Amino acid sequence: SQQGEEDPQALSIQEGENATMNCSYKTSINNLQWYRQNSGRGLVHLILIRSNEREKHSGRLRVTLDTSKKSSSLLITASRAADTASYFCATDAPGTYKYIFGTGTRLKVLA
Amino acid sequence: DVKVTQSSRYLVKRTGEKVFLECVQDMDHENMFWYRQDPGLGLRLIYFSYDVKMKEKGDIPEGYSVSREKKERFSLILESASTNQTSMYLCASRQGVWDEKLFFGSGTQLSVL
């Protein structure tokens, strides 16, 4: 079945730096979401971008969407140690109730 | 804020046992989901319920069943647990098909020995 893919699989940065992670998907979508998962916990919704949007901001988060390339990026600016987590993109499958989750990017922010 | 509560954080069961994983949400959401999460495979959908007593199979329903007798509760049942069902199980809910945002529980780490 379709799988989104995040890139890189793991990322380690210093506190205060920006973190960028990418997501690619395979079919047309209505929207794309980003979620965060702290170690051993459930996922928390961060931001949703619709297929007719190109960029969206929420606090220190910036998401872009390029439907022609079937890709999205999540930028976290001025990262903090508390941002250490795994980040997942999720795309809807039009005409179904399903979401397709990627395999995630593990972000480590060093204090 | 929506609260999705999974009954156990950690569970250890024996092969062949019948296992019940419970999930309760407190915001009158119509739709509820069960996923399993394995390293390198991401989240995979086991079952989905769009209303009370209504369910749909997801991508990996084999070896599982579900029950939704009340709107707030969605149970995942492993009929006869096997070692390959050792995994993190995540329950999620959303208001309805018009609202794409998912709310997740904290997860149940199930080990089948």
Side-chain angles (χ1 to χ4, degrees):
Chain A
S1 63
Q2 174 198 17
Q3 278 286 315
E5 291 193 11
E6 281 94 345
D7 164 51
Q9 289 188 337
L11 181 60
S12 186
I13 59 173
Q14 295 292 324
E15 208 167 26
E17 293 181 340
N18 296 341
T20 299
M21 52 205 89
N22 305 295
C23 167
S24 60
Y25 56 92
K26 296 179 181 174
T27 66
S28 62
I29 61 171
N30 292 321
N31 63 72
L32 183 145
Q33 303 177 59
W34 284 91
Y35 287 82
R36 185 188 75 225
Q37 183 180 36
N38 290 92
S39 181
R41 311 297 292 185
L43 280 71
V44 175
H45 180 266
L46 294 176
I47 195 166
L48 179 151
I49 186 165
R50 300 200 181 280
S51 59
N52 61 354
E53 298 175 310
R54 290 296 166 258
E55 187 171 312
K56 202 160 184 182
H57 296 255
S58 176
R60 293 185 296 113
L61 305 180
R62 174 180 168 248
V63 171
T64 60
L65 180 64
D66 186 336
T67 52
S68 67
K69 295 181 179 178
K70 292 186 169 58
S71 68
S72 173
S73 67
L74 172 68
L75 168 68
I76 304 173
T77 60
S79 62
R80 306 166 183 169
D83 295 327
T84 294
S86 292
Y87 292 82
F88 294 85
C89 66
T91 54
D92 67 325
T96 79
Y97 48 80
K98 294 183 181 181
Y99 298 93
I100 309 298
F101 282 85
T103 51
T105 292
R106 294 188 312 278
L107 173 66
K108 188 168 185 178
V109 181
L110 303 169
Chain B
D1 256 357
V2 175
K3 192 167 183 182
V4 180
T5 303
Q6 293 185 231
S7 54
S8 304
R9 283 285 290 125
Y10 300 96
L11 212 51
V12 180
K13 296 293 182 181
R14 296 278 179 199
T15 302
E17 279 191 75
K18 191 168 186 176
V19 182
F20 293 85
L21 302 183
E22 305 286 346
C23 176
V24 177
Q25 49 93 3
D26 66 356
M27 281 299 289
D28 203 35
H29 281 182
E30 290 191 2
N31 304 158
M32 296 186 76
F33 302 76
W34 274 107
Y35 290 89
R36 66 176 279 177
Q37 183 179 22
D38 301 286
L41 296 178
L43 275 73
R44 293 180 291 166
L45 180 65
I46 305 172
Y47 266 99
F48 164 70
S49 169
Y50 48 93
D51 205 345
V52 176
K53 296 186 190 274
M54 310 298 279
K55 62 187 179 185
E56 291 278 349
K57 292 180 180 179
D59 296 318
I60 51 164
E62 298 78 18
Y64 303 94
S65 62
V66 290
S67 171
R68 192 160 179 211
E69 296 296 318
K70 293 185 177 181
K71 194 172 187 179
E72 67 270 18
R73 186 180 297 270
F74 191 34
S75 302
L76 180 69
I77 303 153
L78 285 65
E79 299 290 344
S80 177
S82 64
T83 55
N84 64 12
Q85 292 178 310
T86 291
S87 186
M88 168 70 94
Y89 289 88
L90 293 164
C91 174
S93 73
R94 71 178 178 193
Q95 190 173 9
V97 292
W98 61 90
D99 184 5
E100 302 93 340
K101 181 178 174 181
L102 289 175
F103 293 85
F104 281 85
S106 295
T108 295
Q109 179 61 53
L110 173 67
S111 296
V112 182
L113 306 177

